[in-house]
Amino acid sequence: MNRAPLLLLYLNVLVIATCGLIYELLAGTLASYLLGDSVTQFSLVIGVYLSALGVGAWLSRYVETALARTFIEVELALALLGGLSAPFLFLVFAWIEWFQTALFSVVFLIGVLVGLELPLLMRILKEHLDFSELVSRVLTFDYIGALLASLMFPILLVPQLGLMRTSLLFGILNALVALWGTYLLRPILKDRGLAALRGRAMLTVGILAVGMIKADTLTTIAEERMLAQPIVFTEQSRFQRIVVTKSSRGFQLHLNGHLQFNSADEYRYHEALVHPALSTGPPPQHVLVLGGGDALAVREVLKYPSVRSVTLVDIDPAMTDLAMNFPPLVELNEDALRDPRVQVINRDAFVWIGETPRRFDTVVIDFPDPGTFSVGKLYTTAFFRQLRTRMTDESRLSIQCTSPLVAPKSYWCILKTMRASGFEPQPYSVSVPTFGVWGFAYATVQPDQRVPSQLAELEGPLRFLTTEGLRAMFHLPSDIAPVPTELNQLNNQILVRYYEQEWSAADGL
Amino acid sequence: MACSRRAWIAATLGTTAGLVPGCAPRDLPPAGTLLSPNVVAGHWIRDGRLDATRSGGRARRAAVVIVGGGIAGLSTAWRLRRAGFDDFILLELESQPGGTSRAGRQGRQAYPWGAHYVPVPMQENAALIHLLEEMQVVVGRRADGQPVVAETQLCRDPQERVFVEGRWQEGLYPALGAADQDLAELERFRQHMDSWAGRHGEDGRRAFAIPLAHSSRDPRFLALDRMTMGDWLRKHAYRSPRLRWLVDYACRDDYGLSVEDTSAWAGLFYFVSRIRLPGQPSQAVITWPEGNGRIVQHLTDRAGPAVHTGWAVHGITQSRSGGAEVRALHTTDRTAAHWQAEQVVYAGPQFAAPHVIDGFDRQRSADFRYGSWIVSNVHLRKRPPEPGFPMCWDNVIYGSRSLGYVNAAHQTGRDHGSTVLSWYYPLASLPGPVARRRMLAADWQDLAALTVTDLQLPHPNIAGQIERLDVMRWGHAMVQPRAGFVWSRQRRAAAQALGRVHFANTDLSGVALMEEAFYHGIRAAEEVLAARGHPFESMLTFVPHDC
Ligand SMILES: Cc1cc2nc3c(=O)[nH]c(=O)nc-3n(C[C@H](O)[C@H](O)[C@H](O)COP(=O)(O)OP(=O)(O)OC[C@H]3O[C@@H](n4cnc5c(N)ncnc54)[C@H](O)[C@@H]3O)c2cc1C
């Protein structure tokens, strides 16, 4: 071979090295993304990958004939395997018990193939160069490739393309190099089967290209796998990813992958959330609903004929739009947001509560669980104290407080925090099939040890709650006993930390 | 061409050690301005070229004239008023008071241009607690007498994070990828600082206290001032690069100096003075969206019409017959004016004092050195998407020469949408005059590129989110606590009054901190009150004969 193809072969080394490292980074990122604990996951992936490189190199000694052809075959296999690795891993994540096995098998196989490549290539080049020069040149390009990959990956690829497309793109690159190799190494390739080899290379490029085009659909399928239901609506709003799925039992709303309600049993949750506060004391007139952009709590509030205004504060206009315009949800919330008494405010409740001059006689809080700091601040003494100033001495409040069974510290922390902020909270719980046992609190601002005991006269029917049922919710089961916790304050968002610990421990079960 | 110039600037100012930014980012922010303190007026004063267009007319009169409206001068005004003394005026050169603690605002979002936090003071700092009570920041006392700060005034959790190994991690210490030895050394260092927090000198005072004047004068402790913090680390066999980074970061953050230039006394002061008792965490941090601009606003409101902005004081002369004359020039219309006063409080920096005060011996402040800082306020349309721990108040980039950024919206509770990031960059490694010259040679594009390149490290897509980027160049940003300076005779004597001229400024402490500026402001005010025989009860729990 003359000089030009030699240089081209080095270029080959460069691409191979880049692709190899990209696949490894992808697997590591995916593992830490899906499994958490990135340090362990990354180290494990790197460990497996490096040892597989060794295995590959060792295997290369058994390739005795048809060096060039084997080299190209290996590259094609790598293109397919590496290119499809991210989509594949996304899809298998649904079967969590298999995920780690799948992950490490993929990483190992990729490592073996990459490990095979270099020795093969070196042997092909050996004919044309003296050994030390060969080693130094190949290794140089190998390291440059690695550097390129590690720079491009975080700066360019992940932010611009995402994991799925990055994986597919490098698969394509890998396959193209293989195809190109069939021309470059033409002098040392046998004629027989050459066309078939090229055909397979093109097929590989084709498969991966289709994957590239369909990457969005793949993401959806992967999400469906994770959510285990067909998706009927998705939107990435400024604040969250909204997904609606459908099953034989109705439809489900997920925010950032967390189930918010199932239409089949949400009435249990929303009746339990709303009626204790609205049925007790003087008839409610001016009601504040915080969070709950799905308008299902508002639906319950509107069953009280005495209500003159409902103010719904939800940060995400995409969510309240969905509640107004997405037919299944409009049907479920009985078009509550178009009721003339309802005013929708799309603001961060934390900021809004500090600015509004209005006062409310009844407040219903339906924020998401305190899984992030930006939601956790809505459960702090600072927030509750500010809210207290927007209520009268006769006002009543009810609030959802996550599961007291799964997350007892989180649950009791919320109650303790409310007590320290001028409220008198009473715990209660109810069973919602989709969620299990769910916790709430009912609170007054005057010391009042009585709990709600009588349902008010309503305009609309209730499906779940009866007066006996209302009383029963306030009988605390023995397995939901108070536990000592700290106060949740803005400068010490202990609740977010409790919540994270308790739910990740529960998910690990 | 522009490109190679930019590359040169990038190389001399530089952002990330190791990563050479090639050409400036193609996408510079669509708008922005280059700001600096009033350099022209500064030069008038320095060069004495004062071509007043209109003469000063008759002398005005005020019993006390305060020169300079930074935290120190404003605190003097505040203390005088609290003592019921109103016959004073304050002359500030800039169009806005506050000095290096001033803030900016666009729409609903305020942001700092310099100082941005104060640690919760300990009980002993009675004067500062009085101020914070008046501001309704301190809302009570614990049983042991320590102040209780309102929840909304404390830095909201999560407070700080660091970008390391491609992702954000909670806290300041880059634990991701740290080896066991690194972590062991960190632990040893923590315990070391903790044990210092319990140490008192022969004189019974804490080794390191805030204000600095309250610290022990025990020679064993003061000896630390003669070595650098780098020497100290080596002396105690701290070798972990990550720990060294943390300590260097601390020195650059508080003093704008590298660990190899900072006095070891000052280095330890940073860590130890904020630990009240061994075993306790550092004092919590008080902060506001506009940073210490909140304090400036409060003090300015209290001082009321006594504050006159736009007046550059260029002469202070004491007459033998008693009294002093203060001469000033208005920076916009160039009118001249002069005041007859009985006392003057000079609350400007020491380096300018020889140019302003007649009879001020140049040697008196010859060893005071000042570092330069660049502060960029980066207005974002929305927050950048990012991996790992969510955005905090303080966001630090491991390995960068910048100090990272503070998120101005953090304290407002707005966690989505637009915000302003205040990005800090001390020119720590160059000698002061060189750094100042280079910084002033750079134009807006250079400094915007410097900022964006650094921010792109953790936020590759940030350029597209930037609406505007304003850059402040602080030439004499901070006095530098270089080894040997903090407890030098010169520094300790600098706060002594010269006849009727009293001094107040953070630089008199050798370190630039809100508490120090405030302390000297209060001290100077009480000196004036005492000299006038005005009745008052001192707010200072301890007044040493040196400062
Ligand atoms: C970028 C940066 C970040 C900082 N961050 C913090 C922080 O987070 N926490 C903290 O505690 N400290 C911080 N500091 C330090 C803090 O800003 C200072 O310690 C404090 O504000 C100094 O106040 P001062 O009044 O002593 O001096 P200055 O702020 O320098 O005020 C002096 C004032 O006097 C005026 N003046 C000077 N000469 C004349 C004259 N001849 N005539 C009229 N007026 C004159 C000036 O214009 C100025 O307004 C920071 C400083 C900088 C630069």
Side-chain angles (χ1 to χ4, degrees):
Chain A
M1 269 182 278
N2 58 26
R3 276 196 65 78
L6 252 185
L7 197 82
L8 291 176
L9 274 170
Y10 291 138
L11 210 62
N12 228 311
V13 177
L14 190 77
V15 175
I16 293 168
T18 315
C19 289
L21 199 67
I22 292 276
Y23 299 143
E24 182 206 336
L25 289 173
L26 273 169
T29 311
L30 254 173
S32 51
Y33 184 44
L34 296 174
L35 300 174
D37 187 13
S38 55
V39 182
T40 325
Q41 298 307 333
F42 248 105
S43 322
L44 276 175
V45 166
I46 291 170
V48 170
Y49 182 74
L50 288 178
S51 62
L53 284 181
V55 174
W58 175 76
L59 281 177
S60 70
R61 62 195 288 201
Y62 295 104
V63 182
E64 276 159 14
T65 54
L67 277 185
R69 187 183 184 92
T70 317
F71 173 70
I72 289 169
E73 299 271 18
V74 166
E75 270 202 278
L76 281 180
L78 186 60
L80 211 52
L81 189 66
L84 293 175
S85 62
F88 171 71
L89 289 172
F90 256 121
L91 291 181
V92 295
F93 185 66
W95 297 281
I96 183 78
E97 66 275 33
W98 293 106
F99 179 73
Q100 287 215 326
T101 323
L103 171 76
F104 291 120
S105 315
V106 167
V107 171
F108 186 79
L109 280 177
I110 291 177
V112 170
L113 292 174
V114 175
L116 260 168
E117 273 179 330
L118 273 195
L120 287 181
L121 193 63
M122 291 226 231
R123 277 163 62 194
I124 295 171
L125 292 171
K126 193 177 67 185
E127 319 283 304
H128 312 276
L129 279 173
D130 83 73
F131 184 69
S132 61
E133 192 181 341
L134 174 68
V135 172
S136 86
R137 288 214 188 152
V138 167
L139 286 184
T140 307
F141 281 92
D142 189 32
Y143 290 137
I144 295 176
L147 177 68
L148 266 179
S150 54
L151 285 181
M152 283 192 314
F153 189 73
I155 296 180
L156 202 68
L157 298 173
V158 175
Q160 296 290 349
L161 293 177
L163 295 176
M164 205 83 106
R165 284 209 171 88
T166 301
S167 168
L168 291 159
L169 178 71
F170 278 81
I172 293 177
L173 214 61
N174 229 198
L176 286 176
V177 167
L179 185 61
W180 182 30
T182 62
Y183 295 93
L184 218 55
L185 300 174
R186 179 71 192 81
I188 50 172
L189 277 168
K190 295 222 175 61
D191 284 345
R192 204 164 53 87
L194 185 62
L197 192 62
R198 285 184 180 157
R200 260 180 291 143
M202 287 182 210
L203 186 65
T204 310
V205 174
I207 292 173
L208 293 169
V210 171
M212 228 12 215
I213 295 161
K214 294 272 176 205
D216 282 336
T217 328
L218 276 174
T219 311
T220 311
I221 297 174
E223 247 168 9
E224 285 186 357
R225 277 292 149 80
M226 257 183 258
L227 303 172
Q229 309 287 358
I231 289 172
V232 291
F233 176 90
T234 62
E235 183 177 351
Q236 178 66 52
S237 81
R238 278 202 299 138
F239 306 97
Q240 54 203 347
R241 183 158 179 84
I242 304 173
V243 174
V244 180
T245 56
K246 200 166 166 48
S247 72
S248 54
R249 279 185 69 235
F251 69 94
Q252 300 81 28
L253 174 76
H254 311 257
L255 299 180
N256 289 336
H258 296 287
L259 179 62
Q260 302 299 303
F261 69 77
N262 185 332
S263 65
D265 59 16
E266 58 74 24
Y267 62 90
R268 281 181 155 246
Y269 173 96
H270 288 105
E271 288 183 9
L273 170 67
V274 170
H275 296 292
L278 274 92
S279 281
T280 314
Q285 296 191 3
H286 300 288
V287 183
L288 172 64
V289 179
L290 297 172
D294 53 29
L296 297 170
V298 177
R299 173 194 70 199
E300 296 303 316
V301 170
L302 290 175
K303 289 179 181 168
Y304 290 79
S306 60
V307 167
R308 291 172 37 204
S309 78
V310 183
T311 307
L312 173 70
V313 182
D314 188 294
I315 194 170
D316 195 352
M319 192 55 230
T320 46
D321 281 354
L322 192 75
M324 270 171 117
N325 302 315
F326 183 63
L329 186 52
V330 174
E331 195 183 322
L332 194 65
N333 66 33
E334 296 169 8
D335 210 0
L337 296 191
R338 290 191 205 274
D339 188 293
R341 289 168 290 174
V342 177
Q343 185 195 5
V344 176
I345 295 173
N346 292 123
R347 296 280 305 278
D348 189 321
F350 188 89
V351 180
W352 178 82
I353 200 73
E355 294 173 4
T356 183
R358 298 177 53 192
R359 280 174 181 259
F360 301 89
D361 53 61
T362 320
V363 178
V364 175
I365 304 184
D366 192 15
F367 291 132
D369 279 4
T372 62
F373 293 105
S374 52
V375 178
K377 71 181 181 225
L378 301 168
Y379 293 88
T380 54
T381 42
F383 181 78
F384 288 132
R385 284 188 186 133
Q386 192 61 41
L387 174 64
R388 170 69 186 84
T389 68
R390 303 293 96 221
M391 295 167 70
T392 66
D393 285 351
E394 278 70 47
S395 291
R396 298 163 307 281
L397 171 155
S398 60
I399 177 172
Q400 85 87 4
C401 316
T402 193
S403 165
L405 267 190
V406 175
K409 277 192 142 178
S410 309
Y411 180 80
W412 292 105
C413 174
I414 297 174
L415 271 80
K416 175 168 179 167
T417 304
M418 292 176 75
R419 193 163 293 122
S421 317
F423 289 96
E424 292 289 327
Q426 307 277 350
Y428 68 96
S429 65
V430 74
S431 163
V432 183
T434 304
F435 293 134
V437 172
W438 210 253
F440 302 85
Y442 160 81
T444 53
V445 290
Q446 303 282 18
D448 182 359
Q449 291 310 306
R450 280 168 309 162
V451 297
S453 57
Q454 187 67 49
L455 275 177
E457 287 285 320
L458 301 182
E459 274 181 352
L462 294 185
R463 292 173 66 190
F464 166 65
L465 218 52
T466 59
T467 291
E468 292 71 43
L470 177 73
R471 289 184 197 147
M473 290 196 305
F474 283 84
H475 287 299
L476 220 51
S478 322
D479 59 353
I480 306 183
V483 293
T485 72
E486 285 181 48
L487 279 185
N488 188 39
Q489 300 194 302
L490 268 186
N491 55 314
N492 157 32
Q493 287 209 32
I494 194 74
L495 177 60
V496 176
R497 299 170 204 274
Y498 287 151
Y499 185 85
E500 205 168 79
Q501 277 164 16
E502 294 183 314
W503 279 93
S504 58
D507 289 344
L509 284 180
Chain B
M1 180 206 73
C3 181
S4 62
R5 201 177 90 83
R6 201 133 296 149
W8 178 81
I9 298 275
T12 52
L13 297 177
T15 50
T16 317
L19 236 184
V20 183
C23 210
R26 268 158 292 127
D27 26 24
L28 276 177
T33 47
L34 187 59
L35 305 163
S36 65
N38 195 329
V39 187
V40 177
H43 288 171
W44 289 350
I45 295 168
R46 197 189 62 195
D47 306 338
R49 266 196 278 110
L50 298 158
D51 40 354
T53 49
R54 279 187 280 147
S55 77
R58 209 155 47 83
R60 309 181 205 185
R61 208 206 62 82
V64 179
V65 173
I66 303 168
V67 179
I71 292 285
L74 290 168
S75 303
T76 300
W78 176 80
R79 181 67 190 95
L80 293 178
R81 274 234 201 284
R82 286 267 308 214
F85 182 82
D86 294 326
D87 188 5
F88 67 87
I89 60 157
L90 184 155
L91 302 176
E92 164 57 47
L93 174 162
E94 302 287 337
S95 58
Q96 184 190 350
T100 50
S101 291
R102 83 178 75 141
R105 168 180 288 278
Q106 193 181 43
R108 60 181 177 176
Q109 185 60 58
Y111 44 85
W113 272 121
H116 48 279
Y117 75 97
V118 194
V120 175
M122 296 178 202
Q123 186 182 4
E124 297 72 24
N125 198 347
L128 185 53
I129 294 178
H130 280 308
L131 172 67
L132 294 175
E133 272 170 351
E134 193 184 277
M135 291 174 69
Q136 294 180 326
V137 171
V138 168
V139 291
R141 296 291 184 129
R142 290 202 323 234
D144 61 0
Q146 297 298 334
V148 174
V149 174
E151 184 179 353
T152 46
Q153 314 283 311
L154 288 170
C155 182
R156 206 181 119 199
D157 193 23
Q159 186 169 327
E160 56 202 5
R161 61 175 186 172
V162 57
F163 189 78
V164 55
E165 310 247 316
R167 45 192 299 132
W168 289 104
Q169 170 223 296
E170 185 174 16
L172 250 192
Y173 182 78
L176 212 66
D180 287 346
Q181 300 100 288
D182 290 320
L183 298 175
E185 241 180 52
L186 174 69
E187 190 44 39
R188 180 159 71 89
F189 182 76
R190 287 214 170 117
Q191 285 177 8
H192 207 151
M193 294 301 109
D194 210 50
S195 71
W196 267 108
R199 290 183 68 174
H200 290 72
E202 292 283 324
D203 50 6
R205 313 209 69 87
R206 285 169 58 97
F208 302 97
I210 297 178
L212 180 141
H214 287 187
S215 302
S216 168
R217 304 295 193 279
D218 193 321
R220 287 175 304 152
F221 301 157
L222 302 194
L224 285 167
D225 187 42
R226 290 198 291 271
M227 66 170 93
T228 67
M229 194 61 193
D231 291 337
W232 186 89
L233 286 175
R234 279 182 290 274
K235 182 175 164 203
H236 291 90
Y238 288 110
R239 295 194 188 88
S240 155
R242 283 173 192 247
L243 181 71
R244 215 190 117 80
W245 175 83
L246 183 75
V247 177
D248 184 60
Y249 177 84
C251 292
R252 287 183 298 127
D253 190 35
D254 250 35
Y255 308 136
L257 267 185
S258 92
V259 70
E260 294 303 346
D261 294 320
T262 305
S263 145
W265 193 93
L268 293 190
F269 174 80
Y270 171 89
F271 287 100
V272 180
S273 65
R274 297 173 188 190
I275 308 175
R276 198 163 67 79
L277 293 169
Q280 295 208 341
S282 288
Q283 295 289 95
V285 163
I286 300 172
T287 186
W288 304 275
E290 68 271 45
N292 292 2
R294 176 71 61 98
I295 303 174
V296 169
Q297 189 61 53
H298 180 86
L299 294 174
T300 307
D301 289 347
R302 288 291 145 143
V307 176
H308 300 263
T309 53
W311 287 102
V313 172
H314 56 83
I316 300 172
T317 313
Q318 306 189 46
S319 62
R320 231 159 260 135
S321 53
E325 186 191 59
V326 177
R327 295 182 302 282
L329 195 61
H330 200 270
T331 52
T332 46
D333 63 18
R334 298 218 175 170
T335 37
H338 55 113
W339 281 265
Q340 275 304 320
E342 286 146 35
Q343 272 88 21
V344 177
V345 174
Y346 175 75
Q350 286 293 300
F351 73 86
H355 307 290
V356 178
I357 303 167
D358 286 347
F360 187 98
D361 178 4
R362 218 165 264 276
Q363 283 314 310
R364 194 179 140 119
S365 63
D367 293 343
F368 282 70
R369 298 269 179 284
Y370 298 79
S372 302
W373 283 59
I374 298 166
V375 179
S376 298
N377 272 305
V378 185
H379 298 243
L380 294 186
R381 206 166 286 125
K382 59 178 193 187
R383 322 283 164 101
E386 47 186 5
F389 200 76
M391 194 180 280
C392 294
W393 170 66
D394 195 10
N395 304 270
V396 175
I397 304 164
Y398 179 57
S400 165
R401 282 201 235 162
S402 83
L403 297 171
Y405 60 86
V406 165
N407 173 18
H410 187 77
Q411 287 300 95
T412 66
R414 273 187 282 109
D415 290 322
H416 304 273
S418 66
T419 185
V420 177
L421 308 182
S422 306
W423 178 85
Y424 288 85
Y425 185 93
L427 277 78
S429 45
L430 301 168
V434 181
R436 257 185 298 284
R437 223 172 306 124
R438 294 215 178 146
M439 184 178 75
L440 293 174
D443 60 15
W444 174 81
Q445 296 198 351
D446 300 326
L447 299 180
L450 185 75
T451 311
V452 176
T453 313
D454 191 54
L455 288 174
Q456 277 174 333
L457 214 77
H459 305 296
N461 288 334
I462 201 165
Q465 318 282 18
I466 301 177
E467 272 174 339
R468 66 176 293 124
L469 192 159
D470 299 322
V471 187
M472 174 70 84
R473 298 162 301 167
W474 293 109
H476 292 85
M478 285 188 185
V479 66
Q480 295 178 325
R482 289 178 177 270
F485 175 67
V486 182
W487 290 102
S488 65
R489 207 176 291 196
Q490 188 177 101
R491 204 280 302 163
R492 290 165 81 164
Q496 273 158 23
L498 268 180
R500 290 168 180 272
V501 180
H502 301 262
F503 293 93
N505 192 285
T506 191
D507 61 1
L508 300 170
S509 287
V511 297
L513 285 178
M514 187 274 156
E515 296 97 317
E516 300 301 330
F518 179 74
Y519 169 77
H520 288 292
I522 302 302
R523 180 193 47 69
E526 293 194 352
E527 280 174 19
V528 167
L529 291 170
R532 302 185 61 81
H534 187 93
F536 72 101
E537 199 177 313
S538 178
M539 284 186 182
L540 301 173
T541 45
F542 172 57
V543 187
H545 50 82
D546 68 344
C547 285

